[in-house]
């Protein structure tokens, strides 16, 4: 619970780019929590992102604009450290498959070690998005495939344009 009594959920990710699978988790979190902070993480482990951090933040902002209790932030520190600014923070993550679970379970234990106040909640992915990841979108875009039904409609031109620039490289 934050100081003003609001329950805050943090939805972290690299969002390179945001997909309809991410958005589904954000929308459902916004129905459960008073406020949702979508945190675009720099993520040192993912070497060469398709979009810069500023581009990712801007795209997430456009995608969540319709949700009044969702805001966007960015962080280049560990999630467990970032969460310290909130009282009783809850991280919400989406689970697509057993493989997600193993990784997330491990991350959860590490986060708890760094910040014992931090709770993690898992929402199962919507059936129609279990196959969907940012890397699938990047790959489809690289081959010029139709991105309808994978990412928010309004972001398709930006992603297609970036893929065109990529192909020219
Ligand atoms: P990705 O795994 O697509 O590269 P991120 O690292 O940005 O994406 O993931 C952020 C969070 O969103 C993770 O908790 C991940 O499990 C979740 N997520 C990603 N894609 C989906 C999806 N299609 N359905 C539900 N949750 C998802």
């Amino acid at each position: 619970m934050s100081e003003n009594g609001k329950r805050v959920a943090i939805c972290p990710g690299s969002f390179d780019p945001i997909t309809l699978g991410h958005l589904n988790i954000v929308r459902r979190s916004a129905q459960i929590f008073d406020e949702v902070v979508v945190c675009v993480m720099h993520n040192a482990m993912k070497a060469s992102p398709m979009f810069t951090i500023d581009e990712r933040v801007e795209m997430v902002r456009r995608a969540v604009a319709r949700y009044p209790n969702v805001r966007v932030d960015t962080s280049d520190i560990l999630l467990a450290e970032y969460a310290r600014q909130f009282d009783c923070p809850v991280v919400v993550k989406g689970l697509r498959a057993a493989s997600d679970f193993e990784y997330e379970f491990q991350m959860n234990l590490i986060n708890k070690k760094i910040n014992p106040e931090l709770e993690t909640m898992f929402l199962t992915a919507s059936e129609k998005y279990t196959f969907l990841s940012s890397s699938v979108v990047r790959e489809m875009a690289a081959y010029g495939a139709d991105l309808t039904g994978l990412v928010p409609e309004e972001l398709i031109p930006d992603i297609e344009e970036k893929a065109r620039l990529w192909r020219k490289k």
Side-chain angles (χ1 to χ4, degrees):
M1 197 85 69
S2 68
E3 269 164 31
N4 53 13
K6 282 188 176 173
R7 269 276 174 209
V8 179
I10 306 165
C11 290
S14 12
F15 305 106
D16 186 34
I18 186 165
T19 70
L20 289 181
H22 292 130
L23 204 53
N24 178 266
I25 298 293
V26 170
R27 183 185 56 75
R28 288 158 63 197
S29 302
Q31 285 169 346
I32 301 168
F33 290 85
D34 297 310
E35 191 183 347
V36 174
V37 179
V38 181
C39 188
V40 183
M41 310 296 288
H42 282 247
N43 203 340
M45 301 311 287
K46 289 186 184 171
S48 52
M50 183 174 195
F51 293 93
T52 65
I53 192 87
D54 290 344
E55 289 168 335
R56 283 183 267 153
V57 167
E58 197 266 335
M59 288 197 291
V60 175
R61 284 219 167 98
R62 275 155 62 201
V64 303
R66 74 198 84 158
Y67 305 119
N69 61 337
V70 178
R71 67 181 172 92
V72 185
D73 196 8
T74 175
S75 171
D76 60 1
I77 57 172
L78 278 174
L79 179 62
E81 301 288 1
Y82 169 83
R84 284 193 206 282
Q85 65 187 285
F86 303 96
D87 289 329
C88 304
V90 179
V91 167
V92 178
K93 308 226 66 180
L95 286 183
R96 285 161 292 194
S99 50
D100 269 353
F101 177 78
E102 258 173 59
Y103 173 76
E104 296 294 353
F105 193 75
Q106 196 180 16
M107 285 308 293
N108 175 46
L109 292 179
I110 295 166
N111 284 339
K112 270 268 183 211
K113 239 186 190 13
I114 302 168
N115 182 353
E117 281 223 328
L118 186 60
E119 290 295 349
T120 304
M121 266 181 52
F122 297 103
L123 294 181
T124 45
S126 160
E127 197 186 342
K128 58 180 190 269
Y129 299 132
T130 46
F131 70 94
L132 187 53
S133 66
S134 295
S135 56
V136 162
V137 170
R138 291 195 299 271
E139 183 142 0
M140 299 281 278
Y143 287 102
D146 183 10
L147 302 178
T148 307
L150 304 181
V151 296
E153 202 71 26
E154 64 271 26
L155 302 183
I156 291 179
D158 301 66
I159 300 169
E160 285 177 347
E161 176 58 20
K162 179 68 93 173
R164 263 194 295 276
L165 294 173
W166 256 31
R167 282 198 293 270
K168 280 190 198 155
K169 268 188 195 172

